[in-house]
Amino acid sequence: MSDDKTLAETLAQRGISRRSFLKFCASIASLMAMPPAMAVEMAEKLAAARRQSVVYLSFQECTGCLESLTRSHSPKLEDLIFDAISLDYQETLVACAGHFAEHILKEAIEKNDGKFILMVDGSIPLKDGGIYSTIAGRTNLDILEWVAPHAAAVIAVGSCAAFGGIPKANPNPTGAVAVSDIIKDKPIINVPGCPPIPVVITGVIAHYLTMGTIPDLDELGRPKVFFGDSIHDRCYRRPFYDQGKFAKSFDDEGARNGWCLFELGCKGPTTHNACATTKWNGGVSFPIESGHGCLGCSEPDFWDAGSFYTALSAPTKDVANWAAIGVAAGAAIGVAAGIANRSTKTETKRTRKPLTVDDLKGKPKS
Ligand code: FSX
């Protein structure tokens, strides 16, 4: 699939207009909180770029990450991104099978040694010699340790690759670990979520193509531009939280009025992701907008962090108390997390540490 054409040549060949391309660049620049002028600079750099080789490996996972990436919405940002990269190997999408597929992977590595981006989804099982997930007779560990040293950088796609995810959930029967537990000498960008947001995955690739560097990362290796705010920071139901107005069940008056889902177990206050801003399915909605609390799937060990339907802190007896707690917690979170992040003071946002449950309860982090 790899070729030596520039992106501009590739797009022209595919009948994509300059206007559509500039629109695409403006969307990506906006998504990454760049000033509008950067869209033009991005367009120039991208147009001149050779198609970036990408090798995509899948390990212990459910294929939800790839489904998310490929079933993305219009405008076809992802289609353009796939024009901008040369996806030289992806097991699910590759047309051939067996020895031919193995040959393609080997060829992709040799042809762009030291230059390709390695995308990995799924965790890596280590127990019993890694036998719980093998491809063509090789363990996931063996394949990762073979391919990663030849990559320029690694993108760990999904919570399984980034943090171990559901396969690592207690009692972790396969001894699953994250990519960063194995690979120590390469830049690794974690793009968690179960699955991750498609435009966040492609935004990270676009950043690399445009800047030639990986984006600023938080302490968990996630791009700050997408994971700098909590779901709670950006949630459209946040005013109800601050007013102490909470749905008590999924079918009560509060739920019908669109009140805050905190008491129903929403993990938005401790979860960092862009769902509330980019949304899903073409920007139509996201879980909270659909009436269900956030599960916290982009945080480490989210599956073992308690019931999805238990509130982060114990409910108090009356609404007045909730209002007081809500306003105080809201103010604390607002200051700590920087509601002012919505302004252009992005540096403040990007240096902030992620909130934890202990932050909400006023306990110091251990
Ligand atoms: Fe994990 Fe992805 Fe969840 Fe599934 O590849 S992050 S189980 S959506 O598929 O790895």
Side-chain angles (χ1 to χ4, degrees):
M1 281 190 270
S2 190
D3 60 48
D4 293 327
K5 290 190 182 74
T6 64
L7 176 59
E9 290 163 349
T10 305
L11 294 177
Q13 203 173 41
R14 295 176 69 91
I16 294 169
S17 69
R18 177 173 164 76
R19 183 186 166 86
S20 299
F21 181 56
L22 280 171
K23 211 170 153 187
F24 159 73
C25 291
S27 302
I28 290 291
S30 158
L31 202 61
M32 294 194 290
M34 291 174 170
M38 276 302 293
V40 178
E41 192 180 330
M42 176 185 280
E44 284 167 5
K45 285 185 178 174
L46 269 180
R50 305 282 161 186
R51 295 172 72 215
Q52 169 68 48
S53 171
V54 173
V55 171
Y56 191 133
L57 300 175
S58 292
F59 295 141
Q60 197 167 232
E61 45 84 35
C62 78
T63 314
C65 299
L66 186 65
E67 291 281 354
S68 174
L69 181 61
T70 55
R71 296 187 182 186
S72 55
H73 59 265
S74 177
K76 299 277 186 182
L77 298 180
E78 288 67 37
D79 285 354
L80 286 170
I81 281 294
F82 277 115
D83 285 323
I85 66 171
S86 174
L87 186 58
D88 289 331
Y89 183 79
Q90 209 296 328
E91 264 149 28
T92 309
L93 301 178
V94 72
C96 57
H99 294 300
F100 290 114
E102 290 172 52
H103 174 73
I104 285 173
L105 174 57
K106 188 168 176 287
E107 192 179 64
I109 294 165
E110 289 171 356
K111 189 173 176 186
N112 292 292
D113 198 349
K115 297 178 190 161
F116 65 87
I117 295 176
L118 174 60
M119 293 175 73
V120 178
D121 65 22
S123 62
I124 300 96
L126 299 184
K127 195 174 172 188
D128 299 329
I131 58 167
Y132 297 107
S133 181
T134 63
I135 299 164
R138 299 178 72 175
T139 65
N140 294 168
L141 176 65
D142 185 25
I143 296 170
L144 181 62
E145 288 186 329
W146 167 46
V147 180
H150 299 278
V154 182
I155 303 177
V157 180
S159 292
C160 297
F163 304 134
I166 292 174
K168 180 173 172 276
N170 188 37
N172 191 2
T174 66
V177 298
V179 171
S180 59
D181 291 321
I182 306 291
I183 304 303
K184 301 291 185 186
D185 57 354
K186 292 284 172 187
I188 298 176
I189 308 167
N190 284 331
V191 185
C194 191
I197 302 170
V199 290
V200 170
I201 304 171
T202 53
V204 169
I205 297 170
H207 184 284
Y208 187 86
L209 290 174
T210 312
M211 305 297 177
T213 60
I214 64 172
D216 283 348
L217 305 178
D218 70 7
E219 61 188 10
L220 295 176
R222 304 174 296 193
K224 289 177 183 173
V225 70
F226 298 116
F227 295 89
D229 290 324
S230 71
I231 302 292
H232 186 67
D233 289 337
R234 299 300 189 110
C235 182
Y236 76 102
R237 297 194 191 215
R238 173 61 182 271
F240 293 119
Y241 178 93
D242 293 342
Q243 294 165 33
K245 292 181 175 175
F246 301 95
K248 309 285 185 187
S249 72
F250 286 107
D251 58 357
D252 70 0
E253 187 187 353
R256 285 193 290 278
N257 288 333
W259 290 357
C260 178
L261 301 171
F262 182 84
E263 286 195 36
L264 294 174
C266 180
K267 303 298 183 286
T270 54
T271 303
H272 295 79
N273 208 338
C275 301
T277 46
T278 64
K279 300 190 181 178
W280 290 77
N281 300 321
V284 169
S285 184
F286 71 113
I288 292 169
E289 195 169 347
S290 300
H292 195 285
C294 167
L295 302 185
C297 76
S298 56
E299 297 296 323
D301 302 323
F302 78 97
W303 201 261
D304 294 324
S307 167
F308 293 146
Y309 301 100
T310 301
L312 284 166
S313 52
T316 55
K317 286 182 182 167
D318 57 61
V319 174
N321 281 348
W322 265 115
I325 290 168
V327 169
I333 291 165
V335 170
I339 285 186
N341 291 347
R342 297 170 198 179
S343 73
T344 53
K345 294 175 183 173
T346 51
E347 283 313 307
T348 305
K349 170 172 74 178
R350 289 169 189 182
T351 52
R352 181 173 53 78
K353 289 184 177 176
L355 278 171
T356 66
V357 174
D358 284 346
D359 289 327
L360 282 175
K361 293 177 179 171
K363 294 178 187 172
K365 279 188 221 176
S366 57

